[in-house]
Amino acid sequence: MISKTPAPVADRGAQSPKNAAWHHCEAADVLRECESSETGLSTVEAARRLAANGPNELKEGKHVGAFQIFLRQFKSIIIWILIVAGAISGLMGEAMDAVAILAIVALNAVIGFYQEFSAEKSVATLRKLTAPQARVRRDGRNVEVAATRIVVGDILILEAGDVVAADGRLLDAHSLRCVESALTGEAEAVSKHPAVLPRIDTPLGDRTNMVFVGTNVAAGAGHAVVVATAMRTELGHIAGMITEAGAEEETPLQGKLDAFGRVLLWATLAIVALLFGLGLMRGTPPGELFLTSISLAVAAVPEGLPAVVTVALSLGVLRMARRHALLRKLAAVETLGSTSVICTDKTGTLTIGDMTARSLFVAGQHYDLTGDGYGTAGEVQLAGKPVDETRRRPLRELASILIGCNHARTVEKDGAWKIIGDPTEGALLVAGTKAGVDPKQLDRDWQRQADFPFDSDRKRSSIVRCSADGRSRVFVNGAPGPLLARCTQLYCETGIRSLTPQDRESLLSMTSTLATRALRVLGSAYRDLDAVAAAAPAAEAIEKDLIFVGLTGMYDPPRPEAKAAIAACHAAGIRVVMITGDHPETARAIAREIGLAEVADEAVSGVELDKLSDGELRRRAPKIAVYARVTAEHKLRIVRALKASGAVVAMTGDGINDAPAIKGADIGIAMGRTGAEVTKQAADMILTDDNFATILAAVEEGRGVYANIRKTLQYLLAGSTGELLFMAACVIIGLPTPLLPIHLLWINLVTDGLPALCLAADPIDTDVMKRPPRQRTEKITNPRFIRTMVVTGILTAGVTFAVYSHVLKTGTTAEARTAAFSVLVFAELLRAFGARSGTKPLWRITPLLNRNLLLVIALSFGLQLLSQHNAAFGRFLKTTPLSFTDCFALLALGAIPLVTLELFKVVRPLVHGARK
């Protein structure tokens, strides 16, 4: 009881809305539990409860400031390795080296910050859904109060057009219908009634004696006692899940790069320490050893890597934007490429989100309707052909009822047709128009006289209309079974005759046939009224002795591109899982129609999910293709179960009930046109065309980005390995330091760095979608990667060492350094051509597809030659002059690693083929 303090009522019943059992209680018991009555609370009591429980508003999530977003750009170990390398270079007096390294770090941070700087608005957007004002009963009077001041025990007054201000248990309802898409994702209005529901585990979408904050009253009126406010409502529960699900997690790429960074850090320290120790044993002065060790560390670290990763991701973002996918975070690009499971909502994602009539049955004949949504484009067809005028009369008879018993209207907005009113009535209105009846003309010919809205008891709606010549007629649409029970005659092609038991059986059989196609079926009937009935019409009196005319089957049709996109996902090794608030039968039928599920697959319901432990769900999740009648909490739980099983999960949706799962997935995807604002804010990617097929295009881009990053990383590391091996060999043998820090920095940032940026922007390989998705645990450097890197490093180091040792015998140390520096630069530049593919030889790769790489390599060659023929530039790079003859000789020697590696590409398939 709450006579002393109201807080326990809200807490006990609604801390976890899933467990709230108000729908299972009598209305009188709920009133008594809330210490309220049908006359409402007193103003004093309401004020006391408001002070105890707080205002009826959602709490803001933790705000992430600009400074915090900027700091997030420095989480990578590789970034900190570069920062330390830059600081040491500065302390050693190498100002140019320090500035160059730190400039790369700063550029990387600025680009990442720019991409991620957006306010965390998810919970704030949810607040806009709540009503600013609400009508309640207090002190026995109806008053209007700010929605934030509503408390548990208030009596809500509900009418058509209202936004429900708090969660409530209905006390009474009169043809009350609510659109609960904010919570369930389903656009169809739900009929409400105050009767107790027998099951305590009734799914949220079936709690017909409850109203929920943020939902809309589509028709009718009613009263409800408030049982939960603020964060204890169902909407508040979703807001809490968004906040809880939104904890920052590493993307697969971030994890791989950080793991690589740790290996690189320890490997570099170990090599430097080993060589430092060997130098001391040889009697090399410590000062010289320290400088050499720093040079080795600079050689080992690929300074261009952060810039390469950032550029690759940024280019991926730009390419995805051109393909109608907007990315809110850079790292999300690569995550898409590793996606192995796509969880998708049904309504508005796989389907168009608009109820559409697909089938008409009248006068013993079955007709099909073309066109989707609420636009009138389309036609009625018989056996795949347009209906000729001789068969139009029965269709117009049915159409007059579909339009005559209708409250909806269509409007065009931003080039698309929208419905004002109930979506089901909108579908009937469009079907009637396609069948040949003009709604405006019918309204002129038959003036509306009386209206009896749909309710769950009658399972039908009716409108009485009067013609210009004084005739009155009732038009009725409703559930076929109950409607047939009110009919005594049947409209047929030859006229009107008595309705026989065989007719009833045949019509019910046709209803079942249409229902197996996931169609929602409504029957239509009419009756001409006499003067007495028309003068004072009452639903029970006029909805009898009706003439049954026909059936209409409708559903939310699949998007035209959905089936092909699902097939393409399967071909790419990606599972697609449907998660919907709709009924299991409908979900299963749509899943089969688009190829998402096979006939033998079952749809697991939310009630069944509640009975599964987290461990059981984790084991079963990889085998379940369809989840139906689920809540926002179920969706988040499914996503987590799939992630726990090792999958990289993408979650798509457009409704508010999708937002927590979208936030909790590895990659969250929202629909840009039809998606709720809160869902967009929770997402990592937004589809501007609401096209499921765009997800596949984004996955392709993501895989391409990862492939480019990986081959660029291999290119950079192979170059660093060659430098390190060359430097180490000289130190071990006791030769003079072969390369100065400025040489290494020039190679890593210009000679390697610029081509690497072009490799990161390489066009996507056409075979990328023929490969299975990568495992979450797969390392970025596998054995083949390392073998190629080491072989390349040995080849490059071998050629460079041979040149250096030869020139040392015939010239000065400065000349030997210049020769070694030049041949190393030439080898790296030439190797960039072969690095574009790990399997295709150079002559099978079209060079003009990456013109930037050609320009960069040509420019780098020019700069290298300039350093040997321009005194000022030579002093900057600390090189000596070389003749053009020597330069061309060094260029030929520098081609040896490229030629050898390309021959490996040709020989390797032959060797593997011979082994098989």
Side-chain angles (χ1 to χ4, degrees):
M1 303 296 288
I2 62 170
S3 56
K4 293 184 179 180
T5 171
V9 172
D11 291 343
R12 178 170 65 253
Q15 277 288 5
S16 177
K18 180 171 75 91
N19 297 322
W22 301 114
H23 60 277
H24 193 56
C25 302
E26 292 284 354
D29 293 335
V30 177
L31 279 171
R32 188 164 52 253
E33 179 70 15
C34 293
E35 193 69 13
S36 186
S37 68
E38 293 190 4
T39 59
L41 300 173
S42 67
T43 303
V44 174
E45 176 65 12
R48 187 167 69 81
R49 297 185 183 190
L50 182 65
N53 277 358
N56 177 34
E57 59 185 6
L58 302 182
K59 294 178 181 177
E60 289 277 10
K62 184 180 178 182
H63 179 68
V64 179
F67 185 64
Q68 290 172 289
I69 295 175
F70 184 73
L71 288 180
R72 283 205 300 237
Q73 312 309 313
F74 297 91
K75 291 168 62 177
S76 170
I77 289 177
I78 293 177
I79 291 293
W80 282 104
I81 292 175
L82 289 179
I83 291 173
V84 171
I88 293 175
S89 297
L91 292 173
M92 292 174 58
E94 299 288 346
M96 183 67 69
D97 298 5
V99 169
I101 292 174
L102 295 177
I104 285 179
V105 172
L107 179 64
N108 179 76
V110 168
I111 294 176
F113 172 80
Y114 176 76
Q115 289 289 338
E116 294 186 20
F117 182 59
S118 59
E120 295 291 320
K121 300 176 183 176
S122 297
V123 176
T125 307
L126 273 176
R127 297 177 67 160
K128 298 177 184 177
L129 294 171
T130 57
Q133 298 287 321
R135 282 167 297 154
V136 298
R137 188 174 293 158
R138 287 184 181 170
D139 299 317
R141 295 182 296 109
N142 294 348
V143 296
E144 189 171 276
V145 300
T148 57
R149 301 185 66 82
I150 288 176
V151 297
V152 170
D154 265 328
I155 305 300
L156 288 176
I157 302 168
L158 304 170
E159 292 182 357
D162 287 350
V163 177
V164 180
D167 286 5
R169 168 67 164 86
L170 282 172
L171 302 176
D172 59 71
H174 306 283
S175 302
L176 183 66
R177 306 185 77 197
C178 294
V179 176
E180 297 180 340
S181 56
L183 294 178
T184 65
E186 302 308 313
E188 190 175 343
V190 180
S191 296
K192 297 290 184 177
H193 59 79
V196 176
L197 299 179
R199 288 173 50 188
I200 196 168
D201 61 351
T202 301
L204 180 67
D206 294 333
R207 294 178 194 172
T208 50
N209 59 5
M210 299 286 295
V211 291
F212 303 103
V213 64
T215 62
N216 300 87
V217 179
H223 296 86
V225 57
V226 174
V227 297
T229 60
M231 294 298 289
R232 293 175 291 271
T233 62
E234 288 289 344
L235 195 64
H237 186 50
I238 290 178
M241 284 195 293
I242 292 174
T243 303
E244 184 258 338
E248 287 292 325
E249 293 183 12
E250 275 190 338
T251 66
L253 178 63
Q254 288 170 330
K256 290 178 175 67
L257 288 178
D258 279 349
F260 166 73
R262 285 189 289 271
V263 172
L264 179 65
L265 174 62
W266 291 111
T268 301
L269 292 175
I271 293 171
V272 168
L274 176 63
L275 295 179
F276 192 88
L278 289 173
L280 286 176
M281 292 172 61
R282 294 177 59 85
T284 308
E288 183 181 339
L289 275 176
F290 182 74
L291 289 173
T292 303
S293 298
I294 293 300
S295 296
L296 285 170
V298 172
V301 177
E303 286 87 353
L305 180 58
V308 163
V309 172
T310 301
V311 166
L313 295 176
S314 298
L315 289 172
V317 168
L318 292 175
R319 284 198 297 258
M320 287 186 186
R322 289 195 289 267
R323 299 178 78 169
H324 308 292
L326 297 180
L327 269 295
R328 298 181 66 220
K329 290 187 179 181
L330 277 179
V333 178
E334 185 276 334
T335 309
L336 272 166
S338 57
T339 298
S340 55
V341 177
I342 298 176
C343 296
T344 175
D345 181 40
K346 176 183 71 69
T347 306
T349 305
L350 293 174
T351 64
I352 65 172
D354 297 333
M355 288 297 289
T356 304
R358 271 286 178 264
S359 181
L360 301 176
F361 183 79
V362 58
Q365 192 66 59
H366 179 268
Y367 300 88
D368 295 314
L369 290 97
T370 62
D372 295 328
Y374 298 123
T376 54
E379 62 182 1
V380 180
Q381 294 183 344
L382 177 63
K385 297 179 180 179
V387 178
D388 58 47
E389 193 58 35
T390 59
R391 292 185 175 274
R392 284 283 179 183
R393 189 173 64 84
L395 284 171
R396 280 194 284 264
E397 195 71 39
L398 176 58
S400 67
I401 303 173
L402 300 180
I403 296 174
C405 181
N406 208 304
H407 304 83
R409 61 188 179 92
T410 56
V411 293
E412 189 175 12
K413 184 178 181 181
D414 299 328
W417 286 95
K418 304 292 183 183
I419 193 71
I420 297 177
D422 183 272
T424 298
E425 291 194 340
L428 297 178
L429 179 70
V430 173
T433 305
K434 290 178 181 178
V437 173
D438 181 0
K440 293 181 180 178
Q441 186 62 46
L442 187 138
D443 282 339
R444 287 192 293 267
D445 294 342
W446 292 88
Q447 297 292 319
R448 189 173 302 198
Q449 184 178 350
D451 191 342
F452 302 96
F454 183 95
D455 67 49
S456 56
D457 294 326
R458 291 163 46 242
K459 298 187 183 302
R460 58 186 175 273
S461 63
S462 60
I463 292 179
V464 177
R465 292 177 177 269
C466 182
S467 67
D469 59 6
R471 290 182 297 132
S472 292
R473 175 174 291 184
V474 59
F475 299 88
V476 187
N477 288 320
L483 184 60
L484 276 168
R486 312 285 296 184
C487 295
T488 57
Q489 293 177 289
L490 176 67
Y491 176 87
C492 56
E493 202 160 4
T494 57
I496 298 170
R497 61 175 175 79
S498 296
L499 185 66
T500 66
Q502 291 78 14
D503 292 330
R504 295 179 193 275
E505 185 177 337
S506 176
L507 289 167
L508 290 174
S509 176
M510 177 56 67
T511 300
S512 299
T513 300
L514 294 175
T516 59
R517 294 167 48 193
L519 298 178
R520 183 191 176 197
V521 186
L522 288 181
S524 298
Y526 76 93
R527 173 192 166 194
D528 289 325
L529 304 177
D530 56 31
V532 175
E540 196 63 29
I542 63 174
E543 292 174 351
K544 64 180 183 179
D545 300 328
L546 299 171
I547 302 168
F548 192 88
V549 177
L551 300 168
T552 303
M554 70 202 84
Y555 77 145
D556 180 11
R559 290 178 174 274
E561 69 280 354
K563 188 170 185 177
I566 296 292
C569 284
H570 290 164
I574 301 171
R575 283 186 65 225
V576 182
V577 177
M578 179 191 291
I579 307 178
T580 178
D582 208 344
H583 293 279
E585 297 78 12
T586 305
R588 190 186 298 114
I590 293 291
R592 290 172 182 168
E593 184 174 348
I594 61 177
L596 189 149
E598 300 297 330
V599 176
D601 291 337
E602 293 185 7
V604 176
S605 69
V607 173
E608 293 173 285
L609 278 178
D610 288 333
K611 298 174 183 177
L612 296 177
S613 67
D614 288 342
E616 290 172 326
L617 179 58
R618 186 168 60 251
R619 287 191 296 273
R620 290 186 60 184
K623 301 176 182 177
I624 301 173
V626 178
Y627 297 87
R629 219 57 181 160
V630 294
T631 63
E633 188 170 4
H634 289 136
K635 293 185 179 187
L636 179 59
R637 195 172 162 224
I638 293 164
V639 165
R640 286 175 170 167
L642 288 166
K643 288 174 67 176
S645 68
V648 177
V649 182
M651 174 70 197
T652 75
D654 63 344
I656 295 167
N657 61 322
D658 299 314
I662 281 175
K663 193 77 170 179
D666 291 298
I667 178 78
I669 306 170
M671 299 294 160
R673 292 180 180 175
T674 58
E677 189 63 28
V678 63
T679 309
K680 297 177 193 175
Q681 292 297 333
D684 300 296
M685 183 175 86
I686 299 171
L687 305 183
T688 58
D689 60 353
D690 284 12
N691 190 335
F692 183 83
T694 300
I695 300 173
L696 201 64
V699 169
E700 181 182 14
E701 290 288 351
R703 290 189 180 185
V705 164
Y706 181 81
N708 283 350
I709 289 174
R710 193 170 180 275
K711 71 186 179 187
T712 305
L713 176 62
Q714 188 175 63
Y715 171 73
L716 290 172
L717 288 180
S720 295
T721 301
E723 297 163 34
L724 197 60
L725 290 174
F726 171 52
M727 295 282 289
C730 292
V731 170
I732 292 171
I733 294 172
L735 298 178
T737 302
L739 296 174
L740 301 175
I742 187 63
H743 296 152
L744 293 169
L745 195 66
W746 178 264
I747 292 170
N748 285 359
L749 294 184
V750 180
T751 307
D752 282 358
L754 292 179
L757 292 175
C758 296
L759 287 174
D762 216 22
I764 296 173
D765 191 338
T766 54
D767 295 335
V768 74
M769 291 302 284
K770 297 177 182 177
R771 306 165 196 157
R774 301 183 308 280
Q775 295 295 319
R776 183 186 286 273
T777 55
E778 179 185 312
K779 294 181 179 179
I780 199 167
T781 54
N782 58 21
R784 181 173 177 178
F785 180 103
I786 294 172
R787 280 197 304 271
T788 303
M789 180 188 77
V790 171
V791 169
T792 304
I794 291 173
L795 289 169
T796 305
V799 169
T800 309
F801 182 80
V803 169
Y804 181 63
S805 58
H806 173 73
V807 178
L808 267 180
K809 296 175 184 177
T810 59
T812 66
T813 300
E815 290 172 342
R817 282 176 178 157
T818 299
F821 175 46
S822 296
V823 76
L824 189 57
V825 167
F826 293 150
E828 290 299 292
L829 290 175
L830 291 172
R831 196 168 54 78
F833 289 118
R836 291 182 61 194
S837 174
T839 56
K840 296 177 183 177
L842 187 61
W843 51 89
R844 289 183 55 198
I845 305 172
T846 306
L848 292 179
L849 288 179
N850 197 334
R851 290 186 177 89
N852 290 333
L853 181 63
L854 293 173
L855 292 173
V856 162
I857 290 177
L859 177 63
S860 298
F861 270 125
L863 290 173
Q864 192 65 30
L865 292 173
L866 184 65
S867 73
Q868 292 143 13
H869 296 86
N870 181 279
F873 196 30
R875 283 193 298 273
F876 171 74
L877 287 181
K878 299 178 182 178
T879 59
T880 60
L882 284 175
S883 67
F884 280 108
T885 302
D886 290 340
C887 287
F888 283 118
L890 292 173
L891 179 62
L893 290 170
I896 291 175
L898 172 66
V899 173
T900 305
L901 292 170
E902 295 307 298
L903 289 174
F904 280 165
K905 292 180 186 177
V906 176
V907 173
R908 188 186 296 121
L910 299 176
V911 172
H912 285 306
R915 287 177 180 173
K916 292 179 181 178

